[in-house]
Amino acid sequence: MTISMIGIDHDRAPVDIRALFAFTRKNAGEAMERLKEMSSVQGCIILSTCNRLEIWASHEENQKLSLYRCLCGLKNIDDDSYENYFTVRQDKEAVEHLFYLAGGLKSQILGEDQILTQIKDALNLAREHFTTDGVLEVLFRMAVTAGKKIKTEVPLAHGNPSVIHQAVRKLEEQGYTMRGKICMVIGNGEMGKVAAQTLRDAGADVTVTVRQYRSGMVSIPIGCSRIHYGERMKFLPLCDVVVSATASPNYTLREELFQDVKLTKPLLLLDLAVPRDIEPALGNKEEITLYDMDSFRSERFSPEAMESLEKAGAIVQEQMEEFFQWLVGRDIIPRIQEIRADAVQDLNLRIEKILRNTPMEQNDRENLLKAVDTAAGKVVNKMIFGLRDSLNQEAFLDCVAGLEKLYEE
């Protein structure tokens, strides 16, 4: 069994390229079902976030699988030039990547918490669409366990880091404070609520747009006001800051919508969505400053962060070893059972000649053969699993292969 993945992220591709390959929750479910229908794919999981897109698949070792071609087919993209933005990993390299990712060690903001939830959500979505298999199920569950252990034992981040927290911090470093600012947050999903709460905590006057303006149907952070999404352009001239964080495939703010809008003060636009929520051309207007997801990268790495990374790396290696022990055991048990059966049969053929010439009742002879079968099976198991415990993985697999050759004919 081979574990393969292909990924594109904020380190290798700008937001507009990432947007071409992003999936909504609904589209990801449909795409996984299509992937699973391929004869070579045993299981698949799609992880799609604002910062990255990853496709994971388990398949037979002798079956070649181009996940880039699969992805282009799902997206109706016929352009090989995008392949340079992707990273392909297999087996150990892929597993190590996922474990580091779950710990927040490959995020745009080191140690951020959201990726762990996103990995769990990706696994749950694959379960809902029946596209995961035993290998990916255990891999993703153990990656989540590794991520939780890193967050518990390694002081990577303090507070509740996210892109909006990073944005507020960097703007404050530049002398721009949110205290007293009038802010509008477009979008009331998970990221929108985090953004609204963060701005509120920073001292801003926050208004959130909602699609359904009915009391009690839509929750917003305490202390924030609400307006209907359709009223956003009327409210916008009053704002100092507008944050857009939706899952919409279309722009929430377009250049044409500003034709009848008169801005009397500088406007800061923060686009926290992939694909983009805010049309990039708006950043060319003199009175507007536009930031996107790639504008707030964290600096890498302080000496303290490097020390924490080493500790996290030790946890990753420990969890990886545990996963591969499970994986090898999963694949090796049937092979050991076959070796044991062949060895017991070999012993029986040799001992039957002796028993035929030994005077005893037929019933006693049959009982003795059964006892020999049981004892021989236990001895073979003890020898093989003893080798597993005393040898490294590669040497043990060589021993198993050698034993299998003894009984090939």
Side-chain angles (χ1 to χ4, degrees):
M1 180 67 69
T2 293
I3 299 170
S4 298
M5 66 80 62
I6 188 171
I8 187 171
D9 62 27
H10 56 87
D11 281 332
R12 293 183 62 88
V15 61
D16 288 330
I17 300 297
R18 301 200 305 272
L20 293 174
F21 296 94
F23 287 91
T24 63
R25 179 181 175 86
K26 178 182 178 181
N27 291 340
E30 295 171 349
M32 286 189 290
E33 290 181 0
R34 289 174 59 186
L35 279 173
K36 184 66 182 293
E37 290 174 356
M38 298 178 59
S39 59
S40 59
V41 175
Q42 302 297 313
C44 60
I45 297 176
I46 291 179
L47 172 65
S48 185
T49 75
C50 292
N51 285 324
R52 70 184 68 252
L53 177 279
E54 294 182 358
I55 294 183
W56 289 79
S58 59
H59 55 97
E60 297 300 326
E61 294 181 13
N62 59 349
Q63 292 179 317
K64 293 185 178 180
L65 179 66
S66 173
L67 288 177
Y68 179 73
R69 295 293 178 193
C70 293
L71 176 58
C72 288
L74 293 171
K75 285 292 185 178
N76 295 318
I77 292 175
D78 185 16
D79 191 336
D80 291 339
S81 64
Y82 293 122
E83 192 168 5
N84 294 329
Y85 291 105
F86 285 84
T87 300
V88 176
R89 301 179 178 89
Q90 280 193 336
D91 296 326
K92 183 178 180 181
E93 185 183 5
V95 171
E96 184 176 54
H97 164 76
L98 184 62
F99 282 22
Y100 272 109
L101 184 65
L105 307 176
K106 293 198 171 187
S107 297
Q108 186 170 348
I109 301 173
L110 186 64
E112 60 99 359
D113 296 327
Q114 289 180 327
I115 187 62
L116 187 59
T117 300
Q118 290 163 343
I119 290 174
K120 289 190 288 187
D121 289 344
L123 175 58
N124 287 332
L125 185 62
R127 288 169 177 166
E128 290 176 14
H129 289 266
F130 304 100
T131 64
T132 186
D133 69 339
V135 172
L136 293 182
E137 174 79 26
V138 173
L139 172 60
F140 271 65
R141 282 197 285 108
M142 292 187 70
V144 169
T145 298
K148 289 179 179 178
K149 190 170 184 180
I150 289 171
K151 293 185 181 303
T152 300
E153 300 181 10
V154 181
L156 278 168
H158 303 280
N160 184 25
S162 66
V163 175
I164 185 62
H165 286 84
Q166 184 80 345
V168 170
R169 183 179 68 81
K170 284 205 169 186
L171 288 170
E172 288 178 346
E173 291 174 355
Q174 298 170 15
Y176 190 96
T177 178
M178 292 293 171
R179 184 164 297 279
K181 296 293 192 300
I182 298 176
C183 300
M184 176 170 60
V185 175
I186 301 175
N188 194 38
E190 180 183 353
M191 187 174 291
K193 289 178 180 177
V194 171
Q197 188 62 59
T198 302
L199 294 171
R200 177 67 180 166
D201 292 343
D205 180 349
V206 181
T207 296
V208 179
T209 69
V210 296
R211 293 283 186 175
Q212 293 176 321
Y213 189 46
R214 293 183 182 179
S215 177
M217 289 193 66
V218 179
S219 64
I220 61 174
I222 296 175
C224 298
S225 303
R226 72 173 75 192
I227 59 171
H228 189 272
Y229 174 79
E231 300 174 359
R232 67 194 185 286
M233 298 310 297
K234 294 181 180 179
F235 185 73
L236 188 140
L238 302 176
C239 297
D240 300 292
V241 180
V242 176
V243 177
S244 191
T246 77
S248 172
N250 304 313
Y251 291 135
T252 57
L253 294 178
R254 305 188 306 276
E255 187 175 21
E256 64 184 61
L257 296 177
F258 281 71
Q259 292 179 357
D260 298 325
V261 174
K262 184 177 181 181
L263 299 178
T264 59
K265 55 183 176 178
L267 178 63
L268 185 65
L269 300 180
L270 303 181
D271 189 343
L272 304 186
V274 177
R276 291 178 186 267
D277 268 357
I278 301 175
E279 189 172 4
L282 286 171
N284 298 327
K285 292 184 174 295
E286 183 177 354
E287 64 273 25
I288 293 177
T289 301
L290 172 62
Y291 293 103
D292 61 28
M293 287 288 293
D294 293 341
S295 303
F296 303 105
R297 295 181 180 273
S298 58
E299 299 81 3
R300 300 191 177 186
F301 288 114
S302 67
E304 294 80 8
M306 289 300 298
E307 183 179 352
S308 294
L309 282 172
E310 291 181 5
K311 294 179 180 178
I315 293 175
V316 167
Q317 294 304 314
E318 176 186 343
Q319 295 296 309
M320 281 181 59
E321 182 177 351
E322 184 176 337
F323 170 74
F324 280 110
Q325 284 180 350
W326 172 85
L327 186 61
V328 169
R330 173 186 177 274
D331 294 335
I332 208 71
I333 292 298
R335 295 168 63 187
I336 291 175
Q337 290 173 337
E338 290 183 7
I339 292 171
R340 181 181 63 187
D342 289 337
V344 169
Q345 184 181 17
D346 186 12
L347 177 61
N348 282 341
L349 291 173
R350 298 173 188 275
I351 204 171
E352 277 182 359
K353 295 179 181 179
I354 301 174
L355 291 179
R356 279 199 298 266
N357 298 323
T358 302
M360 64 174 63
E361 297 292 334
Q362 181 62 27
N363 187 54
D364 292 338
R365 184 177 286 109
E366 291 176 357
N367 289 336
L368 180 58
L369 280 173
K370 289 180 181 178
V372 170
D373 282 355
T374 301
K378 291 181 178 179
V379 169
V380 173
N381 275 350
K382 183 176 181 179
M383 292 175 62
I384 295 179
F385 286 107
L387 287 173
R388 184 193 65 178
D389 295 338
S390 60
L391 299 176
N392 62 45
Q393 180 176 311
E394 185 176 355
F396 171 64
L397 293 177
D398 287 341
C399 287
V400 171
L403 290 171
E404 287 175 322
K405 288 183 180 180
L406 292 175
Y407 297 106
E408 282 182 352
E409 297 182 359

